[in-house]
Amino acid sequence: MDIKQQILAAFNFRHACKEFDASRKISDEDFNVILEAARLSPSSFGFEPWKFLVLQNMELREKIRPVCWGAQKQLPTASHYIILLTRKATDMRYDSTYIKTIMEDLQKSPPEVIKTRTQRTKNFQENDFRLTDERLLFDWACTQTYIALGDIMTAAALLGIDSCPIEGFNRENLETILTEEKILDKEHFGVACMAAFGYRLADPKRAKTRRSLNEVEEWIK
Ligand SMILES: Cc1cc2nc3c(=O)[nH]c(=O)nc-3n(C[C@H](O)[C@H](O)[C@H](O)COP(=O)(O)O)c2cc1C
């Protein structure tokens, strides 16, 4: 297959896998590629508002299952299960310590550049996108994390690995459990979404349903 065929084959292969073959495990080498795809994902201003919790403790998976209605079969059977955390307003506001650290230590921007970028971020958050409260800032940060969600599912599909994106959970109840287990610092992070990975137990029951391209595209010339 040429690269174009490979890409489309991967997108057609990917489906929301409901149940995995629990006896099959993803190799460390393959799973590292998936995590690298997550890490290399783009984010607004390069703030990388995410953390990827790889939940391999089966007791803990069982513990969160009652509050995850959309992952009933995926939680016990997935080879690997990621909870995609996203930073909250405490870290995402233009004047947070986290953003300062990213600009200084990671992006190694000089002070005058930091000043300009901070002002631009402030203007973006307050005027352009009107991210005027904590929830809006968190939701904006979540949009970045969903890019990583897309990237890891595509990377997996290219490796012949199945996945399922999961939003079917009660956020408050899930975060309470994760906080009690001391794996979530609620002041800085919330749960954006989750993703299960493994190998399908059976082929999907139904063919993919998608609207046709001419229903979803519009060319402005
Ligand atoms: C953000 C998001 C959340 C989803 N949450 C769940 C979920 O909780 N449980 C589930 O089984 N599928 C979930 N899905 C899968 C969708 O139902 C599925 O992608 C859609 O029906 C299209 O089918 P396909 O992915 O198999 O092509 C989710 C998909 C997305 C993008």
Side-chain angles (χ1 to χ4, degrees):
M1 275 199 280
D2 73 10
I3 185 74
K4 292 189 272 295
Q5 287 172 318
Q6 274 180 46
I7 291 169
L8 291 178
F11 277 101
N12 277 296
F13 167 86
R14 192 214 56 76
H15 70 291
C17 186
K18 306 295 173 199
E19 187 171 10
F20 300 92
D21 178 347
S23 68
R24 292 187 66 192
K25 297 289 167 221
I26 301 168
S27 71
D28 289 347
E29 198 187 345
D30 280 0
F31 199 69
N32 278 339
V33 172
I34 292 171
L35 287 178
E36 272 298 87
R39 188 179 73 88
L40 293 169
S41 294
S43 58
S44 190
F45 296 97
F47 291 156
E48 305 181 31
W50 45 58
K51 181 170 175 182
F52 307 104
L53 274 184
V54 186
L55 192 62
Q56 297 306 84
N57 180 318
M58 296 309 280
E59 266 175 47
L60 210 50
R61 284 200 202 169
E62 266 315 302
K63 210 167 196 168
I64 64 168
R65 204 164 150 222
V67 301
C68 300
W69 55 266
Q72 287 303 294
K73 288 186 182 159
Q74 293 92 336
L75 270 168
T77 61
S79 163
H80 290 67
Y81 196 91
I82 306 184
I83 301 180
L84 290 91
L85 302 182
T86 296
R87 287 185 185 270
K88 289 188 169 172
T90 326
D91 292 338
M92 294 315 292
R93 251 177 65 109
Y94 67 91
D95 55 356
S96 72
T97 310
Y98 172 73
I99 285 180
K100 191 166 176 276
T101 309
I102 287 278
M103 288 184 187
E104 283 176 358
D105 299 350
L106 182 71
Q107 298 173 341
K108 306 221 181 299
S109 304
E112 65 278 11
V113 173
I114 291 181
K115 210 174 152 203
T116 317
R117 293 197 80 213
T118 304
Q119 187 54 44
R120 189 175 300 149
T121 310
K122 178 181 194 293
N123 193 47
F124 168 80
Q125 293 188 344
E126 291 181 350
N127 301 318
D128 295 338
F129 266 44
R130 294 208 181 282
L131 306 174
T132 45
D133 67 30
E134 294 194 352
R135 178 59 195 249
L136 288 170
L137 275 162
F138 175 68
D139 286 348
W140 169 65
C142 282
T143 63
Q144 331 286 316
T145 302
Y146 276 75
I147 297 174
L149 172 71
D151 286 344
I152 55 181
M153 292 192 298
T154 302
L158 284 161
L159 293 168
I161 294 168
D162 289 298
S163 63
C164 187
I166 292 158
E167 247 179 5
F169 57 88
N170 181 296
R171 183 179 268 155
E172 198 179 326
N173 293 345
L174 177 61
E175 289 183 355
T176 301
I177 297 171
L178 297 176
T179 306
E180 281 167 6
E181 294 292 329
K182 300 195 187 334
I183 51 179
L184 175 68
D185 175 357
K186 262 172 86 166
E187 201 189 314
H188 293 276
F189 288 98
V191 177
C193 53
M194 310 191 282
F197 295 88
Y199 297 94
R200 66 188 72 182
L201 191 61
D203 282 331
K205 289 195 188 89
R206 290 190 303 139
K208 249 191 205 317
T209 58
R210 286 295 188 278
R211 299 170 69 204
S212 66
L213 197 51
N214 63 23
E215 287 175 295
V216 298
E217 71 175 356
E218 183 179 352
W219 290 59
I220 318 296
K221 288 185 175 166

